[in-house]
Amino acid sequence: MSILERLQDHAKQFSGLSWRGSFSEYLDMVRDDPRIARLSHARLYDMIFSAGVVRNDTETPHYKFFEGKLFGIDKELAEIMEYYSAAARRLDVRKRILMLIGPPGSGKSSLSIILKRGLEAYTKTDAGRLYGIVGCPMHEEPLHLIPHELRDDVSKELGVVIEGELCPLCRFHYDEVGGDPSSFEVERVVFSEASRIGLGTFAPNDEKSLDASMLTGSFDLSKISKYGSESDPRAFRFDGEFNISNRGLMEMQELLKIPRSYLALLLSLAQEQQIKTGRYAMIYADE
């Protein structure tokens, strides 16, 4: 097969990932495979664990996912996997920030890159597939459309955990249609750092040029005049790193150099899964 033919074949495979359907169809898929609706920590843990684990005489497990990519840090990787194992089960450890500390060349940035590339590939597979609400800037879980009064029953029927709220924009449209979930469409979501879907990175630079909107989004001045209010979610760009990382992975580089006010935003996200932005209620985020 020529290079051009391989490129064309790859394009066909990618086009097959562009699924779009009704909310009812999505419920049927979740009923058949509840893993579709798992939270971000569980998805990342399953991605690594599914590649295989080798237990050697030193009792330090060797995770094949990192094989040939990182060397000499099996003990550290095992500790990180303990964190993800507990977080995947929704224990309180998931409310902690996973902080990598070490000298240059110790694999901190490499680990982050490997996890991001892995999630990009994993979300293209059947085992790692996930779906979001069409038109949602945060690609949020469609099960958020289910009212709280019905969630316990639906959770038991589908065998999933329903956690979180609709983002302000989806809430606006939800109220517009009278709270009818069937009015929403669902699409498959494939993570891509280049396209800013599910994977975010924040690197602090000069403090004078830092702006919280880099993390939490900003107002669209051209739309404020159209909709007449800053509190209208249609006039806000939910494009901060926290927003686009929803359901995926968020990397904060040089964490100790970040201003204290930014750390407060990060702690709110990590501990409460909440983002405070604009003139809106707290926004749920799973990352």
Side-chain angles (χ1 to χ4, degrees), residues 186-207:
V186 177
E187 63 184 352
R188 183 162 181 179
V189 177
V190 176
F191 288 167
S192 169
E193 186 174 23
S195 300
R196 303 188 75 229
I197 300 175
L199 302 170
T201 302
F202 180 75
N205 44 33
D206 179 25
E207 286 192 28

Side-chain angles (χ1 to χ4, degrees), residues 66-79:
F66 302 105
E67 203 167 77
K69 304 169 186 174
L70 293 172
F71 305 91
I73 57 171
D74 278 355
K75 181 180 178 181
E76 288 76 13
L77 292 175
E79 291 176 355

Side-chain angles (χ1 to χ4, degrees), residues 62-222:
H62 173 75
Y63 291 91
K64 291 186 177 181
F65 178 83
F66 302 105
E67 203 167 77
K69 304 169 186 174
L70 293 172
F71 305 91
I73 57 171
D74 278 355
K75 181 180 178 181
E76 288 76 13
L77 292 175
E79 291 176 355
I80 291 173
M81 285 302 291
E82 287 178 4
Y83 163 82
Y84 277 117
S85 175
R89 288 174 281 153
R90 300 179 66 243
L91 300 179
D92 277 356
V93 71
R94 75 177 179 135
K95 297 182 179 181
R96 302 175 188 172
I97 298 168
L98 179 60
M99 192 169 176
L100 306 180
I101 301 176
S106 57
K108 304 184 300 297
S109 298
S110 296
L111 174 62
S112 176
I113 293 171
I114 291 168
L115 293 178
K116 288 179 180 179
R117 298 294 87 80
L119 282 170
E120 287 178 335
Y122 189 59
T123 54
K124 293 178 183 178
T125 67
D126 284 341
R129 61 191 172 133
L130 74 154
Y131 299 82
I133 298 173
V134 172
C136 176
M138 296 177 62
H139 309 285
E140 69 177 297
E141 170 59 58
L143 294 180
H144 291 175
L145 292 165
I146 297 175
H148 281 273
E149 296 81 2
L150 303 177
R151 286 191 178 184
D152 286 343
D153 292 338
V154 174
S155 295
K156 292 177 182 177
E157 181 179 341
L158 299 179
V160 299
V161 173
I162 304 177
E163 175 187 287
E165 308 290 339
L166 291 170
C167 76
L169 185 60
C170 289
R171 171 60 61 182
F172 178 87
H173 293 313
Y174 183 83
D175 292 338
E176 268 192 326
V177 298
D180 181 12
S182 63
S183 300
F184 289 80
E185 284 190 303
V186 177
E187 63 184 352
R188 183 162 181 179
V189 177
V190 176
F191 288 167
S192 169
E193 186 174 23
S195 300
R196 303 188 75 229
I197 300 175
L199 302 170
T201 302
F202 180 75
N205 44 33
D206 179 25
E207 286 192 28
K208 294 181 181 179
S209 61
L210 281 176
D211 190 325
S213 64
M214 298 169 68
L215 292 173
T216 61
S218 60
F219 292 106
D220 188 334
L221 298 179
S222 65

